[in-house]
Amino acid sequence: MRLFRAARPQHLPLDPPRLDGAGWPDAAGVGRPSFETSTYYELAVRNAFEPEAHAVADRLVDELLPRVETGVSGEDAPYLRKTILTAARVGAGVGIVERTFPPAEPGTVDRAVAGALWEARRRLPGMQPGWSRTAGFFLLAGFHVVRGGPSVVDDLARDL
């Protein structure tokens, strides 16, 4: 019987987001929500109101959402769009928070930042599974755009 948990790595692999839900850091590697990850999530929500986060989310949603088949009805479409836009802003907010950390190696993310991303994903409103995956895609895409620059939107559009 072990008395202490094995040390977790400080950085986790991170791939670009995909509509099927891939690209997220491993939830098991992130571990349970903590005060630290909740704090970074709250800071990300505050940063989601910054002009940069708005610009990132607006571009993502304007350019990518029309390429995604959501199956949403005409009357629900504005509400889903708003939810996805908010998710992208929060993802961008997590990216802004990440700038306060020492730079991570390409293809990796700090475990605490990954925890904030998962916290944001858990706090998305309840919705159909396909819409939830789409909102998760835009959340993670917002993070990647802040991290990698505007050209990431073009890369994501090509992948769609």
Side-chain angles (χ1 to χ4, degrees):
M1 175 173 85
R2 282 197 273 177
L3 296 176
F4 301 101
R5 277 190 273 160
R8 290 194 170 119
Q10 183 62 31
H11 292 94
L12 301 171
L14 179 70
D15 294 321
R18 291 195 352 217
L19 279 175
D20 65 2
W24 283 83
D26 179 38
V30 170
R32 295 183 315 188
S34 66
F35 178 78
E36 181 182 31
T37 60
S38 294
T39 300
Y40 296 143
Y41 166 76
E42 292 298 330
L43 290 171
V45 169
R46 290 181 187 173
N47 285 319
F49 293 98
E50 294 295 323
E52 179 185 10
H54 278 261
V56 165
D58 290 344
R59 181 164 180 221
L60 275 170
V61 172
D62 289 346
E63 292 188 26
L64 301 184
L65 188 56
R67 300 170 185 241
V68 177
E69 179 56 47
T70 61
V72 67
S73 69
E75 65 184 22
D76 288 338
Y79 302 107
L80 181 61
R81 185 181 196 288
K82 180 73 169 175
T83 299
I84 289 171
L85 189 61
T86 301
R89 286 180 186 153
V90 172
V94 176
I96 294 169
V97 169
E98 186 194 40
R99 290 181 184 154
T100 65
F101 285 68
E105 293 292 319
T108 67
V109 64
D110 185 280
R111 187 167 42 88
V113 173
L117 285 167
W118 275 104
E119 182 80 19
R121 187 170 180 183
R122 280 190 295 275
R123 292 191 185 212
L124 288 171
M127 58 189 120
Q128 296 177 16
W131 296 349
S132 183
R133 275 190 306 278
T134 300
F137 167 83
F138 279 92
L139 191 156
L140 193 55
F143 173 76
H144 276 274
V145 172
V146 166
R147 181 182 237 210
S151 65
V152 172
V153 178
D154 300 328
D155 297 340
L156 293 170
R158 269 193 303 279
D159 291 346
L160 287 178

